[in-house]
Amino acid sequence: MNNDREEEKEMRVTYYVFPSEVSPADCIRAYLEAKEWTPDMNDREDKVHYRNLKSKIEEYGEIECSVSFAKKLLREIGGNAYTQHFDRSGCLFETTPIRLTGNNSQHHYSRHL
């Protein structure tokens, strides 16, 4: 049963796109506040995670995250968010915007397949 859950997770990837008018430093600050996380720069894992986050925000202006976290950032600083839906063979078949209310996809996954 765990394999079904892992497979289902791989079928959707959600991204949050920071507002273009917000500086990377402010985007990082907003992310940290939303996560309620203060990285300990003496801790190796925190340092690596922080550097990867900073790099993704500066280079792409977006991060991969959960739908709930994307909605939290949308409420707090605006921007955009979307989910990419993939079929079992790994092909993208739908991209849906994340809205603050309601279901974000009209597609219904068949658990029995």
Side-chain angles (χ1 to χ4, degrees):
M1 186 162 241
N2 283 343
N3 289 340
D4 290 339
R5 287 184 185 165
E6 287 176 21
E7 190 171 337
E8 184 178 323
K9 284 182 185 177
E10 293 174 356
M11 294 174 70
R12 294 175 286 186
V13 181
T14 298
Y15 295 93
Y16 170 77
V17 182
F18 290 91
S20 59
E21 64 275 6
V22 178
S23 72
D26 288 339
C27 292
I28 293 166
R29 192 173 306 111
Y31 174 92
L32 295 175
E33 287 175 12
K35 275 286 187 191
E36 298 176 1
W37 177 56
T38 303
D40 176 359
M41 295 313 252
N42 293 318
D43 180 75
R44 185 179 184 97
E45 285 185 33
D46 276 10
K47 190 183 266 187
V48 168
H49 181 68
Y50 179 81
R51 285 183 182 166
N52 288 338
L53 171 70
K54 185 175 187 273
S55 174
K56 284 181 185 176
I57 291 173
E58 289 175 348
E59 190 171 339
Y60 303 108
E62 67 182 26
I63 56 165
E64 185 178 325
C65 62
S66 67
V67 171
S68 60
F69 189 69
K71 286 183 177 187
K72 186 173 187 177
L73 286 171
L74 286 171
R75 280 187 209 92
E76 291 183 13
I77 64 170
N80 293 298
Y82 61 95
T83 300
Q84 292 181 331
H85 303 267
F86 297 88
D87 64 21
R88 292 183 187 266
S89 66
C91 296
L92 177 66
F93 69 85
E94 179 183 32
T95 299
T96 57
I98 301 293
R99 295 181 297 264
L100 290 176
T101 58
N103 186 356
N104 290 296
S105 174
Q106 299 308 312
H107 180 76
H108 299 283
Y109 293 94
S110 299
R111 292 195 182 276
H112 68 280
L113 292 179

